[in-house]
Amino acid sequence: MRRTPPRLPRRPLVVFVAAAGLLGLVTAPATRGSAPMEPMETTAATSNTATVFYYTKTKNWPATYLHYAPDGGSWTTVPGTRMESACTDWVKKTVDLGSAAGLQATFNNGSGTWDNNGGSNYALGTGTITVKDGVIAHSDPCADSGTGSGNQAKVYYSTTTSGWTTANIHYAPAGGSWTTAPGVGMEAACTGWWKKTLDIGTATSLKAAFNNGNGVWDNNNSADYTIPTGTTTVKDRTLTKDATDPCAAEEPDTQAPTAPAHVTASATDTSVVVSWDAASDDTGVTKYQVTRTGGTRGTVVTDIGSTVYSDTGLEEKTAYTYTVKAVDAAGNTSPASAAVTATTGEKASAPASGTPLGTDPRKDPIYFVLTARFYDGDSSNNRGGSQDVKSGNAANNDPMFRGDFKGLVNKLDYIKGLGFSAVWITPVVLNRSDYDYHGYHGYDFYKVDPRLESAGASYQDLINAAHAKGMKIYQDVVYNHSSRWGAKGLFTPTVYGVRDSQWSWYYDEKNEGFEYDGLTVEPKSGKSYYNGDLWSTAEPSGNTCVNWGKATGAKSAEGYTLYNCQWPSPTSGMFPKTYYHQCWIGNWEGEDSRSCWLHEDLADFNTESTPVQNYLIGAYDKYIDMGVDGFRIDTAVHIPRVTWNRRFLPAIYDRVTQKFGTDAAKNFFVFGEVGAFVNDKWNRGSVNHSAQFFTWKERKEYSADDATAAIEQYNYEEQLGTGNQPTSTNAFLSGNSYHTPDHSQFSGMNIIDMRMHMNFGDAQNAYSNGKDSDDSVNDATYNVVYVDSHDYGPNKSSTRYSGGTDAWAENMALMWTFRGIPTLYYGSEIEFQKGKQIDCGPTCPLASTGRAYYGDHLAGSVTASDFGTVDSASGEVATTLAQPLVKHLQRLNRIRRAIPALQTGQYSTDGVSGSMAFKRRYTSGSTDSFALVTVTGDATYTGIPNGTYTDAVTGDAKTVSNGTLSVAAPGKGNLRVYVLNGPGRIGTAGPYLK
């Protein structure tokens, strides 16, 4: 804003501020004492207007048009209203919205080239709004150009560590008024820095805070920044006067990236997948612009963060042409790539894609099933595989592939009746190995395994059926490895084989034209297991395997001669480094654990290779498009965090955003398995191998090459050590108050709570260890918490939990009330297979393991009208539902669902005595939920708000007038949850919770 104070000699004020995402970034400005300043809540603009600013540097359009529709109103006539020049690189338009509270908008160049937010349009509100490269923010980027006659402040601000895509400065000259929040937009200065020149009149200093335009603030831990005259830097909240310009030594970035190479486009039905090699740039490519021409919709430009783009919902039998440009952080844009064309076919006859439910995942307790072992709805797709007899499964009439999607659909009411609203299923892609029922030996990542599907019970049918019941589907996904036979469509090795008297039982006769699908019986051999397409007695063209076909000198267990290249191996030369890593893991806490094979059945992808990245991103786009609600990521620790943060996580959220919008992307739940099987906070002191490490963004820039960046990141973070890792208060109350969490440094990956899992031999140990790690997790309220799983029990036990019914009840009481998302492995509600070895491979029958078939306990019928409420049940499933832990679970789920603090609340133990006792609160809008929890022992709570607290378990009411409440010990397996102004008793007393 311009002022006309008395003229004084101009004294330049230069301010440099480095945002540290770990240094007090908040989402709501705090009160700042008695200083004369206005509150920093956003002041609403005139309710019926919106001033829209649009960033043009990366478009190079000769003109820009705003095509819009007020909420509830009609669209303007194409191309819309021409926008006028605002300031360098920005155009603007003020539009009258009448009584509407916002508008839908797209932008175009007036000649058929559009930016429609990847097909989702832009949802804009009122007031001042900026749209820059797909990012919506709020401020005037052209305000206060610093051309007044008074003192000036030239302010630089760094977003290198915060990851903000735009920055605003909200300020008040000394003795003056604050700008209207969120302040004024800043301009890009140099890599990682933003700047703004401000007129401050006669003032010699100013107060300032910074924000990203969407409610995330850096206000110097509620103290604001006091900026004196002269040149000042503020970095990590350390203020230095008379500093040098952080951009002075850095030449402006004017070098554009190289044009993307090797662009390909392939059509399936009415979708096209476009992929390309990563472009190079002197400072690094930040995004790509994909331009599509063809069809009746004209030219469409879409921004994307990865090197693969799935374009869906296109017109039938239509040729589409694509070009790709690379863009760097300074907005420099490469030349367009060579054009590629793909022609769509007819619209697929498969059911329409589903839509994710899109609600906060913390509200949804998770039930985890091995689909093939849960319930058999269709015996025609059962398959035993090559190990059916050897494993002992055949003798039990228990094929490894037994349960299926039809069975899961049939028993959704059982899961809902238990009270679960999310189902985590094992991987669905076509697997290929001797013992692949679990899904972790992926072969064709683009195909659903037909051993799981049936007529009328496809994967899409399962997703749709679950959503119809208000239940989510979380798909287990694998990015780290394929099956030992490679990945169809990427690379499949050829092995040496001879069909002599020793090996004819193993090597199938080749059947030209027959493709393995795991289900179809191969007619020559008469069995569904088939490897005739994998082996050769003649050395194949281009063979890289060393000593092809030569005897190793060793014998098999049966006494047969073994040959080189007979079995896949990373060190044999069979797997090219473009697609696979070529070593065995030697040190499980070393760098090689992220770049070598875990096991011969798990061929380790070279995830730093663009073709591999494109293959996996394209594959998982398919399942996102089907409407799954989230991904559980297998073996996440075996891929470098920088690769997750650069490639795979942005690709996931980009795709959800493009397909379903930003709200759906916000609640698409990604949680990783970071196998840290130790009882300490940091995995043997290695930050790179600790679960919480993967919840954070990167703190510095690394080389553009992903393989080089992975090593750089590993060394950088290991040298910083455990004492220099970021910390968070996102899970913790501030006294008794809930505060808006700061997710600006969130990577996009949540985690399975490995530390609680490892310590769940005793609930108290799990609770104490979980609390100890929470400050190092970006937001522990999203942790997935379980006692045991398909891999391990507590303390890396190889058996299913067998601590007893009372201990199970206590564990559940803790999981369902403490922070995090409670998760139960199928059958634990009746202590199914307790004490049994979880997995012994094909050396023993599945019926004797923790992965036994559960369907016998589900026979009969069941209907559920609500979560935790069974209307009717008959047959064996009725007996199952009558078990004490089932009753316990049902009531726990009903209690948790009724009390928001137990779902999304932060927690604290301040002023709380008791072994497993804590307070939780969640505040949002008209919701204010405050709960006092003690799991087993007695507890006293001091310094709490006065009022009436009612126990959700017993209905007992206590009136607090002195800030203190005491609770007697409920006993093991019981629980007390006193809620301020609570709903009263929820449910009825059972064998527990009484």
Side-chain angles (χ1 to χ4, degrees):
M1 150 173 45
R2 293 290 303 276
R3 303 178 181 82
T4 56
R7 292 181 181 271
L8 295 171
R10 179 168 292 182
R11 300 175 63 190
L13 173 62
V14 184
V15 184
F16 312 104
V17 184
L22 319 175
L23 299 175
L25 291 175
V26 295
T27 53
T31 303
R32 293 188 280 283
S34 59
M37 58 191 71
E38 75 175 27
M40 289 177 58
E41 288 78 6
T42 300
T43 301
T46 303
S47 62
N48 63 343
T49 64
T51 299
V52 182
F53 288 83
Y54 187 73
Y55 188 68
T56 60
K57 180 175 181 179
T58 53
K59 299 301 181 187
N60 296 314
W61 290 349
T64 304
Y65 289 79
L66 171 65
H67 179 49
Y68 70 95
D71 292 348
S74 301
W75 285 87
T76 54
T77 302
V78 174
T81 303
R82 183 164 182 167
M83 305 181 76
E84 65 245 24
S85 176
C87 56
T88 303
D89 298 329
W90 290 92
V91 294
K92 70 176 181 179
K93 191 67 184 178
T94 300
V95 296
D96 186 349
L97 301 178
S99 61
L103 67 154
Q104 292 283 312
T106 64
F107 303 87
N108 66 90
N109 69 349
S111 301
T113 299
W114 289 81
D115 171 9
N116 61 5
N117 195 23
S120 299
N121 300 332
Y122 290 98
L124 309 178
T126 58
T128 302
I129 306 152
T130 63
V131 179
K132 180 183 179 184
D133 296 337
V135 177
I136 300 169
H138 304 271
S139 70
D140 182 348
C142 303
D144 199 337
S145 60
T147 58
S149 57
N151 295 336
Q152 289 189 338
K154 189 176 184 181
V155 184
Y156 286 78
Y157 185 76
S158 172
T159 57
T160 300
T161 54
S162 70
W164 291 354
T165 55
T166 189
N168 299 316
I169 180 169
H170 179 50
Y171 71 97
S177 300
W178 284 85
T179 54
T180 300
V184 297
M186 304 183 77
E187 307 152 13
C190 57
T191 304
W193 289 91
W194 299 75
K195 68 179 179 182
K196 195 68 180 177
T197 301
L198 306 171
D199 292 317
I200 60 170
T202 59
T204 57
S205 67
L206 57 88
K207 286 272 193 178
F210 301 86
N211 65 86
N212 71 348
N214 285 318
V216 180
W217 288 80
D218 172 12
N219 61 7
N220 194 22
N221 271 356
S222 302
D224 297 329
Y225 291 96
T226 300
I227 309 300
T229 57
T231 302
T232 304
T233 62
V234 180
K235 185 174 184 180
D236 297 343
R237 287 208 297 273
T238 300
L239 190 147
T240 306
K241 296 176 64 176
D242 300 322
T244 57
D245 181 343
C247 297
E250 181 177 336
E251 291 294 327
D253 180 10
T254 59
Q255 180 175 330
T258 61
H262 301 113
V263 183
T264 61
S266 59
T268 303
D269 304 320
T270 54
S271 298
V272 174
V273 175
V274 187
S275 65
W276 56 91
D277 289 349
S280 60
D281 184 67
D282 57 334
T283 60
V285 173
T286 57
K287 67 174 184 176
Y288 295 90
Q289 291 180 343
V290 182
T291 299
R292 181 191 75 207
T293 57
T296 60
R297 301 176 210 172
T299 303
V300 176
V301 181
T302 302
D303 292 338
I304 190 164
S306 62
T307 55
V308 62
Y309 173 56
S310 297
D311 201 6
T312 60
L314 302 173
E315 298 167 41
E316 293 182 301
K317 299 179 180 177
T318 302
Y320 289 94
T321 299
Y322 297 84
T323 59
V324 186
K325 296 179 181 179
V327 183
D328 66 16
N332 298 309
T333 305
S334 76
S337 70
V340 293
T341 300
T343 301
T344 57
E346 295 181 351
K347 188 174 182 180
S349 58
S353 296
T355 300
L357 295 183
T359 54
D360 192 318
R362 295 173 295 179
K363 296 181 179 181
D364 300 298
I366 302 170
Y367 191 74
F368 171 36
V369 301
L370 269 73
T371 309
R373 307 302 300 159
F374 186 63
Y375 190 75
D376 189 3
D378 178 7
S379 61
S380 70
N381 59 12
N382 293 358
R383 293 293 182 270
S386 65
Q387 303 298 303
D388 196 34
V389 174
K390 181 178 180 180
S391 65
N393 290 335
N396 293 329
N397 193 26
D398 182 28
M400 61 172 182
F401 268 95
R402 189 170 178 183
D404 46 39
F405 293 148
K406 186 173 183 178
L408 192 49
V409 169
N410 289 345
K411 298 304 175 185
L412 285 175
D413 267 25
Y414 169 77
I415 298 172
K416 185 172 184 175
L418 294 177
F420 293 93
S421 50
V423 186
W424 158 16
I425 60 173
T426 39
V428 304
V429 304
L430 175 62
N431 268 230
R432 190 168 194 178
S433 75
D434 292 340
Y435 217 53
D436 55 2
Y437 64 95
H438 43 65
Y440 298 99
H441 296 167
Y443 173 67
D444 188 345
F445 286 69
Y446 286 77
K447 181 181 179 66
V448 176
D449 200 308
R451 291 169 289 188
L452 299 174
E453 294 193 304
S454 308
S458 67
Y459 186 33
Q460 186 69 68
D461 291 325
L462 168 63
I463 295 168
N464 294 345
H467 288 174
K469 293 181 182 293
M471 302 169 71
K472 295 180 177 179
I473 295 294
Y474 295 150
Q475 178 178 329
D476 209 321
V477 295
V478 185
Y479 287 77
N480 176 68
H481 58 263
S482 71
S483 74
R484 70 167 75 103
W485 305 118
K488 184 180 179 182
L490 182 70
F491 174 78
T492 301
T494 300
V495 301
Y496 177 79
V498 54
R499 296 189 80 249
D500 58 15
S501 59
Q502 296 182 21
W503 290 107
S504 59
W505 64 275
Y506 183 76
Y507 291 109
D508 292 331
E509 185 179 353
K510 283 183 171 63
N511 187 349
E512 296 299 333
F514 180 80
E515 285 196 11
Y516 166 85
D517 66 5
L519 178 71
T520 306
V521 174
E522 193 277 315
K524 287 188 177 180
S525 65
K527 59 186 180 182
S528 61
Y529 181 78
Y530 175 70
N531 63 14
D533 59 332
L534 298 172
W535 66 272
S536 173
T537 55
E539 187 170 358
S541 175
N543 169 57
T544 57
C545 187
V546 180
N547 295 320
W548 174 271
K550 295 181 180 179
T552 65
K555 299 289 185 180
S556 72
E558 300 85 358
Y560 302 157
T561 299
L562 295 175
Y563 298 92
N564 285 301
C565 310
Q566 189 175 23
W567 194 256
S569 166
T571 58
S572 65
M574 301 171 75
F575 290 82
K577 63 182 179 180
T578 299
Y579 305 113
Y580 287 91
H581 290 134
Q582 298 185 320
C583 53
W584 296 106
I585 291 178
N587 178 6
W588 288 85
E589 274 75 47
E591 196 285 324
D592 59 336
S593 74
R594 309 183 308 159
S595 57
C596 298
W597 287 37
L598 299 167
H599 191 270
E600 62 188 8
D601 277 338
L602 311 176
D604 198 79
F605 281 131
N606 179 0
T607 49
E608 288 64 66
S609 164
T610 297
V612 173
Q613 293 169 357
N614 290 347
Y615 177 83
L616 292 169
I617 291 169
Y620 289 125
D621 277 354
K622 167 181 176 175
Y623 305 106
I624 290 171
D625 290 354
M626 294 174 75
V628 296
D629 301 277
F631 285 160
R632 180 267 186 182
I633 297 178
D634 182 70
T635 50
V637 70
H638 298 294
I639 295 175
R641 186 182 74 179
V642 70
T643 304
W644 284 117
N645 288 351
R646 279 185 176 184
R647 308 302 175 201
F648 296 131
L649 292 171
I652 291 171
Y653 291 109
D654 280 351
R655 187 60 190 162
V656 180
T657 300
Q658 291 165 12
K659 189 70 177 178
F660 303 111
T662 54
D663 287 343
K666 176 183 176 182
N667 290 313
F668 189 87
F669 190 45
V670 177
F671 59 105
E673 176 209 24
V674 181
F677 303 109
V678 293
N679 293 325
D680 52 3
K681 183 172 183 176
W682 297 97
N683 187 356
R684 296 186 176 93
S686 173
V687 295
N688 280 280
H689 297 86
S690 300
Q692 61 268 42
F693 180 75
F694 285 78
T695 66
W696 296 94
K697 286 183 177 179
E698 302 308 330
R699 293 187 279 176
K700 70 184 298 291
E701 290 293 325
Y702 301 103
S703 297
D705 176 72
D706 285 351
T708 303
I711 300 296
E712 291 173 347
Q713 181 222 45
Y714 181 87
N715 292 331
Y716 176 75
E717 295 290 353
E718 289 298 285
Q719 289 167 7
L720 285 178
T722 61
N724 293 297
Q725 294 302 309
T727 58
S728 169
T729 61
N730 285 337
F732 306 120
L733 294 172
S734 177
N736 291 315
S737 298
Y738 177 87
H739 63 90
T740 305
D742 170 20
H743 293 145
S744 63
Q745 292 304 298
F746 177 49
S747 67
M749 185 188 295
N750 300 286
I751 53 170
I752 293 169
D753 198 319
M754 297 302 293
R755 195 171 183 198
M756 287 193 73
H757 166 46
M758 285 292 99
N759 284 280
F760 249 121
D762 175 80
Q764 178 64 60
N765 284 343
Y767 170 70
S768 299
N769 279 273
K771 283 196 308 175
D772 183 52
S773 292
D774 284 353
D775 66 340
S776 60
V777 181
N778 183 268
D779 191 343
T781 65
Y782 289 86
N783 284 11
V784 170
V785 182
Y786 56 62
V787 174
D788 63 359
S789 72
H790 59 320
D791 287 326
Y792 293 106
N795 296 308
K796 208 177 180 181
S797 164
S798 62
T799 60
R800 289 194 72 160
Y801 182 74
S802 58
T805 309
D806 287 352
W808 253 123
E810 182 180 47
N811 288 343
M812 291 176 180
L814 173 62
M815 288 193 292
W816 262 256
T817 56
F818 190 42
R819 86 321 173 247
I821 303 171
T823 301
L824 197 74
Y825 183 40
Y826 81 100
S828 292
E829 62 270 27
I830 61 170
E831 298 177 81
F832 181 61
Q833 299 295 91
K834 62 182 178 181
K836 296 293 181 67
Q837 186 174 357
I838 293 172
D839 175 35
C840 58
T843 62
C844 65
L846 282 166
S848 67
T849 72
R851 298 177 176 181
Y853 176 66
Y854 191 56
D856 294 339
H857 297 277
L858 302 178
S861 64
V862 56
T863 59
S865 59
D866 202 353
F867 296 102
T869 302
V870 173
D871 289 347
S872 64
S874 63
E876 188 59 32
V877 71
T879 302
T880 299
L881 288 165
Q883 300 307 302
L885 286 179
V886 170
K887 298 299 184 184
H888 187 51
L889 265 178
Q890 289 173 317
R891 195 170 182 209
L892 282 173
N893 272 315
R894 291 176 65 187
I895 289 171
R896 188 178 189 273
R897 189 169 291 274
I899 302 171
L902 301 183
Q903 303 170 42
T904 54
Q906 295 161 342
Y907 78 96
S908 174
T909 57
D910 292 344
V912 180
S913 68
S915 56
M916 282 188 285
F918 45 90
K919 53 189 177 183
R920 296 190 68 184
R921 191 171 204 158
Y922 176 71
T923 306
S924 178
S926 61
T927 299
D928 186 5
S929 177
F930 186 62
L932 307 175
V933 178
T934 182
V935 174
T936 301
D938 60 275
T940 298
Y941 307 84
T942 59
I944 60 173
N946 292 331
T948 300
Y949 292 78
T950 306
D951 180 23
V953 177
T954 64
D956 175 55
K958 295 180 183 291
T959 300
V960 174
S961 59
N962 62 353
T964 300
L965 184 148
S966 295
V967 182
K972 193 168 187 176
N974 289 299
L975 179 71
R976 296 293 179 260
V977 184
Y978 280 86
V979 183
L980 180 61
N981 302 320
R985 186 174 71 175
I986 300 168
T988 58
Y992 300 101
L993 299 180
K994 56 187 178 181

